[in-house]
Amino acid sequence: MNNKNNIHIEDSVEAAAKAAADYWLACASSAIAERGAFHVAFSGGSTPKHLHRYLLMDEYRRQLDWSRVHAYFGDERMVACDHADSNYRMVRETLLDHVDIPAANIHPVVDDVLLAAHEPASAAPMLAARYAERLEAQLPHNDAGWIQFDLVMLGMGADGHTASLFPGTSILDDCTNSVVAVYVEKLKSWRVSLSFPVLEQARQRLLLVCGKDKADVLEKVFSPTDEQDYPVKRFARRIDSLWFMDKAAAAKLGEI
Ligand code: 6PG
C-alpha cells in the first residue's frame, strides 16, 4: 500500500474496497462512541458495491451497532426509488436491506409520489428543498451553522465529477444551499446533490476510485490545473479526505 498523506493505493479494487471499509468502520465507531450516532452519506454509481460487500461480512457487522447509523445519499437521479438507476435502490440492495438499520434511519432523496406527479424539471427543485429540510432536522450542525455529516462517501467519474458536481454546472458555484437541483446537460437529466459546502463541512470524506478508466483524470486531479475542470480536485490534497484507489486507477500518478 502506498500511503502518501491522504492517498491509499492498493493492488486491486477489492483491496482498495477493504481498506476503505476499514476506514468507514473506524469513522462509524468513533462517531458512535463520541456522539451516539453515525451520520453517513452514501455515494452512487457501481464502485461502492465493493465496499458494501465488506461491511456485510461478519468481522465488520459484529463491530457496528447499525441502530445508531443514519443513512443519507450524496446525490440522486430523478427516478423512482425502485428504478435500476436509483442510487437509493443500489445502496439498499447491496447493503441496507441486509443490516439491522431502522427504516426511520434511512433518508432517501426521492419521494415517488411527488416525482410521479411532476416533470423532472419541477420535481428536482422540490425534492432538493424537501431534502434540505430533512437534513436540517436530522443532522448536527457545526459552529458555522452548516449541517455536518460524520462521513461523506464519494466516487469520481471519468470527467472528474463527484456526487452530482459535474464540470461546468451551476451547482459548482452554489455556496449557499446545502442541497441543490442541477440539470446535467451531458446526461440530459436532472440530479439532486449535496453542495460543495456540505461536502467540505463533513468531518471526513472517503473517496473510493478504482479502474483504469479513472487513471487519466486522476493524473489531472492531482496535478496543478483549474479545479473548475475537475470538481473532485477540491478534495485532492485535504488530509481529512482519504482516497482509496487501486493500482489501475493510480497508474499515472507517479510520485505524488
Ligand atoms: C452517481 C454518483 C457519481 C459516482 C461516479 C463514479 O450518481 O453517479 O454519485 O458521483 O460516484 O459517477 O461512479 P462509478 O463508481 O460507477 O464509476
Side-chain angles (χ1 to χ4, degrees), residues 44-48 75 77 87 155-157 161-163 191 214:
S46 57
T47 308
D75 68 322
R77 297 89 180 272
N87 289 335
M156 185 196 75
H161 81 263
T162 193
R191 296 282 189 98
K214 307 291 174 72

Side-chain angles (χ1 to χ4, degrees), residues 21 24-33 37-38 40 42 55-70 95-96 99-101:
W24 191 102
L25 185 61
C27 290
S29 301
S30 61
I32 292 168
F38 179 48
V40 54
F42 284 90
L55 296 181
L56 292 180
M57 291 177 185
D58 286 346
E59 68 175 283
Y60 291 83
R61 278 172 180 275
R62 63 169 168 258
Q63 295 183 66
L64 182 61
D65 176 358
W66 275 95
S67 71
R68 302 284 190 153
V69 180
H70 280 264
L95 180 60
L96 300 182
V99 293
D100 294 331
I101 184 171

Side-chain angles (χ1 to χ4, degrees), residues 10-255:
E10 306 288 347
D11 289 339
S12 66
V13 60
E14 287 311 316
K18 183 183 188 314
D22 292 342
Y23 176 63
W24 191 102
L25 185 61
C27 290
S29 301
S30 61
I32 292 168
E34 293 166 24
R35 295 178 294 279
F38 179 48
H39 296 278
V40 54
F42 284 90
S43 62
S46 57
T47 308
K49 299 175 187 176
H50 298 282
L51 192 162
H52 298 167
R53 268 200 293 277
Y54 281 96
L55 296 181
L56 292 180
M57 291 177 185
D58 286 346
E59 68 175 283
Y60 291 83
R61 278 172 180 275
R62 63 169 168 258
Q63 295 183 66
L64 182 61
D65 176 358
W66 275 95
S67 71
R68 302 284 190 153
V69 180
H70 280 264
Y72 308 82
F73 300 85
D75 68 322
E76 189 55 277
R77 297 89 180 272
M78 290 299 96
V79 294
C81 288
D82 63 353
H83 191 283
D85 292 344
S86 166
N87 289 335
Y88 166 80
R89 174 178 163 179
M90 181 276 288
V91 178
R92 289 217 59 163
E93 285 185 341
T94 60
L95 180 60
L96 300 182
D97 285 350
H98 310 286
V99 293
D100 294 331
I101 184 171
N105 288 16
I106 302 175
H107 308 282
V109 174
V110 168
D111 173 291
D112 284 346
V113 172
L114 186 153
L115 187 66
H118 299 84
E119 288 300 317
S122 305
M126 294 162 76
L127 289 170
R130 285 173 62 146
Y131 205 51
E133 286 171 18
R134 186 164 193 176
L135 298 185
E136 280 299 318
Q138 289 288 342
L139 286 167
H141 291 67
N142 66 10
D143 296 342
W146 282 94
I147 52 173
Q148 185 169 49
F149 287 94
D150 294 303
L151 180 66
V152 173
M153 299 165 69
L154 296 169
M156 185 196 75
D159 59 357
H161 81 263
T162 193
S164 285
L165 299 163
F166 284 82
T169 56
S170 56
I171 190 174
L172 301 182
D173 302 317
D174 191 323
C175 301
T176 311
N177 298 297
S178 56
V179 184
V180 182
V182 55
Y183 184 72
V184 184
E185 183 61 40
K186 70 181 287 190
L187 302 177
K188 298 282 187 267
S189 66
W190 282 89
R191 296 282 189 98
V192 168
S193 179
L194 297 181
S195 63
F196 255 141
V198 169
L199 298 184
E200 289 177 308
Q201 298 289 339
R203 290 177 183 270
Q204 303 285 352
R205 278 154 298 277
L206 182 166
L207 295 103
L208 179 58
V209 182
C210 296
K212 62 181 185 302
D213 63 320
K214 307 291 174 72
D216 287 343
V217 72
L218 269 181
E219 181 186 23
K220 298 184 177 87
V221 165
F222 282 93
S223 65
T225 59
D226 175 351
E227 110 186 342
Q228 184 73 31
D229 291 337
Y230 308 104
V232 77
K233 183 177 177 65
R234 192 165 296 196
F235 307 117
R237 293 294 181 190
R238 288 184 55 150
I239 198 63
D240 56 2
S241 303
L242 268 63
W243 292 70
F244 298 88
M245 314 170 183
D246 64 351
K247 279 182 174 172
K252 298 186 176 179
L253 290 188
E255 269 313 301

